Amino acid sequence: MKPKLTIWIVLLPLLLAACGELPLPEEETGLPVFTFEGTAGTDAISLTAGEEGNFMTTFQVEEEGVFVFSGELGPASCETCGPALGIALLDDQPRSPGSTIPESQAPGEGSYDYFLRDDVQEVARVNFQLDDDGGPMPEQMFWDLGDGNLAQAVAVTHTYLDTSLSQVTVCLTTRHQGGCETSVCNVVNLKDTACQAAFQYTVNPANQFVTFQDQSKGKQPFRYEWSFGDGYGATLGNPGYYYGQGGSFEACLRVEDANGCMSEICREISPDLSTCTAGFTYRVQRIELAGPGQSGRVKLDWRDSDGVRWQSATVKQPADAYFEILEASRYEDNREGLPTWKIRFRLRATVVNDTGETKVIEGEGVFALGMGLE
């Protein structure tokens, strides 16, 4: 008589520095067995959670603003060991970070295309943040993001989908209590992100002395060019400056790093705090988004018995490739409290390793995917 199978479901980190022993969870019995039976090239695959040290691990991550629901069946004690099969299913719509997914929007029965990394376009995603200068918060904020888009918020994240844009001029206008209104504009480089000018400042209104603190990013050493907005400037990293009068001034910092990357940022400041000010910081990221023809949502990650990694996302799939979910249902949370979604599936796909070799993997099984369900 075959003994009762024991299955564990745990949340493992996506990236481990090296192979290492992991503490095993307490045993749970009587649960469905997660399996995959098939072939990879001429090699047979037979994986079962709870047998031969294999675990069904589940996780959810966010890649480039899209949730990815994943599960891996294989050795839990070593991330680079095999055999192991990982399945990742991309969400079909953008969601706010940390949001939950209605069960009605979870992937259900049906066929799903494979994601192809070649069918992507690189664009700029920029996080804009209103500066906190220690004064009262403005009542209203108006962002002109330089590509025809507008926003009103303390922090704005915007993706520039026009790949022909190398830079944009972004302006922030703030309106304060009492009717004070001010604005500042900065040229944002969308393609050369190796360096980024940034600074903070402190004001002593009693003598109108302002201390500037460089917070630029890039390869040291920097070359600095400060403009204090009244015709004077400095070339120090963290200068201090006495303004001869109060009011509002546009202070700017231009930096050039050791690799020749150049960046500039400006802020409106008031050395005697007599008027409202405006300023913002920003961070540019180059990200990959699915191209206009990209509809694929499935990624396969196969590690053979030698630990060699084979992936589906870096090779174009032939016409006979498929991924089909035959059944889908809610499963219990994993050991870290992440809800899981149980699928029964069958698949066929071409996978490729780092040296360009390809093989066909096919089979069927039952997996769990980590998914932040409501």
Side-chain angles (χ1 to χ4, degrees):
M1 176 176 174
K2 189 174 181 180
K4 183 177 290 186
L5 297 174
T6 301
I7 296 89
W8 301 277
I9 299 179
V10 295
L11 175 66
L12 294 184
L14 279 179
L15 296 175
L16 298 175
C19 295
E21 292 298 323
L22 297 179
L24 299 181
E26 297 177 2
E27 294 187 0
E28 299 179 49
T29 59
L31 302 179
V33 176
F34 294 96
T35 66
F36 181 75
E37 299 287 338
T39 57
T42 58
D43 299 328
I45 305 173
S46 181
L47 299 171
T48 300
E51 292 185 352
E52 299 180 350
N54 290 324
F55 276 54
M56 178 78 253
T57 65
T58 60
F59 37 84
Q60 173 183 291
V61 297
E62 184 181 350
E63 292 181 0
E64 301 155 2
V66 176
F67 285 133
V68 181
F69 316 125
S70 304
E72 181 178 282
L73 179 54
S77 60
C78 179
E79 200 214 24
T80 59
C81 300
L85 177 65
I87 296 175
L89 189 62
L90 281 67
D91 198 3
D92 62 351
Q93 57 187 287
R95 304 181 196 270
S96 302
S99 63
T100 55
I101 298 148
E103 197 165 304
S104 61
Q105 295 180 13
E109 298 176 11
S111 297
Y112 295 81
D113 293 332
Y114 287 97
F115 179 88
L116 179 61
R117 182 158 292 281
D118 285 348
D119 187 16
V120 296
Q121 57 183 355
E122 189 180 73
V123 297
R125 174 174 293 158
V126 187
N127 300 311
F128 298 98
Q129 176 71 49
L130 174 74
D131 275 331
D132 181 7
D133 59 4
M137 286 288 291
E139 291 185 328
Q140 295 177 300
M141 290 145 287
F142 305 94
W143 297 86
D144 182 340
L145 300 173
D147 64 346
N149 286 282
L150 307 174
Q152 298 184 44
V154 172
V156 174
T157 298
H158 182 60
T159 301
Y160 291 86
L161 299 177
D162 185 349
T163 56
S164 67
L165 292 175
S166 60
Q167 63 183 33
V168 290
T169 299
V170 177
C171 297
L172 168 66
T173 299
T174 59
R175 187 171 297 152
H176 296 250
Q177 188 174 12
C180 182
E181 184 175 304
T182 188
S183 64
V184 65
C185 298
N186 284 301
V187 176
V188 178
N189 192 328
L190 299 179
K191 294 194 174 179
D192 187 358
T193 61
C195 66
Q196 172 62 63
F199 69 90
Q200 296 292 333
Y201 67 93
T202 56
V203 173
N204 185 341
N207 57 7
Q208 299 173 17
F209 184 76
V210 180
T211 302
F212 296 91
Q213 300 94 33
D214 169 54
Q215 295 186 338
S216 301
K217 296 180 181 179
K219 183 174 178 56
Q220 295 280 3
F222 289 115
R223 186 170 66 87
Y224 299 96
E225 293 181 14
W226 291 89
S227 172
F228 300 132
D230 63 351
Y232 292 91
T235 56
L236 301 174
N238 299 291
Y241 184 65
Y242 286 101
Y243 282 83
Q245 58 184 346
S248 178
F249 299 88
E250 186 175 80
C252 299
L253 169 61
R254 180 182 178 87
V255 297
E256 181 178 356
D257 76 356
N259 291 328
C261 177
M262 303 182 73
S263 179
E264 183 178 23
I265 194 166
C266 298
R267 301 175 62 173
E268 282 218 2
I269 68 172
S270 177
D272 62 349
L273 303 181
S274 63
T275 184
C276 60
T277 59
F280 63 91
T281 57
Y282 60 90
R283 183 170 63 92
V284 182
Q285 296 174 286
R286 298 295 297 180
I287 65 170
E288 291 181 339
L289 293 181
Q294 177 67 265
S295 61
R297 298 173 58 186
V298 180
K299 298 180 184 179
L300 301 183
D301 193 328
W302 163 247
R303 292 199 310 274
D304 62 25
S305 56
D306 296 322
V308 177
R309 188 181 183 192
W310 304 75
Q311 297 177 286
S312 66
T314 52
V315 61
K316 188 172 182 178
Q317 296 299 317
D320 61 352
Y322 58 83
F323 185 91
E324 185 179 1
I325 295 180
L326 306 174
E327 293 181 65
S329 60
R330 179 72 174 262
Y331 192 65
E332 55 189 64
D333 296 357
N334 68 14
R335 291 293 296 273
E336 299 296 328
L338 177 68
T340 56
W341 191 243
K342 179 184 170 187
I343 61 171
R344 185 169 67 87
F345 63 92
R346 65 187 192 102
L347 64 83
R348 178 183 172 90
T350 297
V351 290
V352 63
N353 65 14
D354 290 341
T355 64
E357 297 177 85
T358 62
K359 63 173 59 178
V360 174
I361 184 170
E362 62 181 323
E364 58 183 77
V366 179
F367 262 47
L369 305 177
M371 195 176 303
L373 296 165
E374 291 182 351

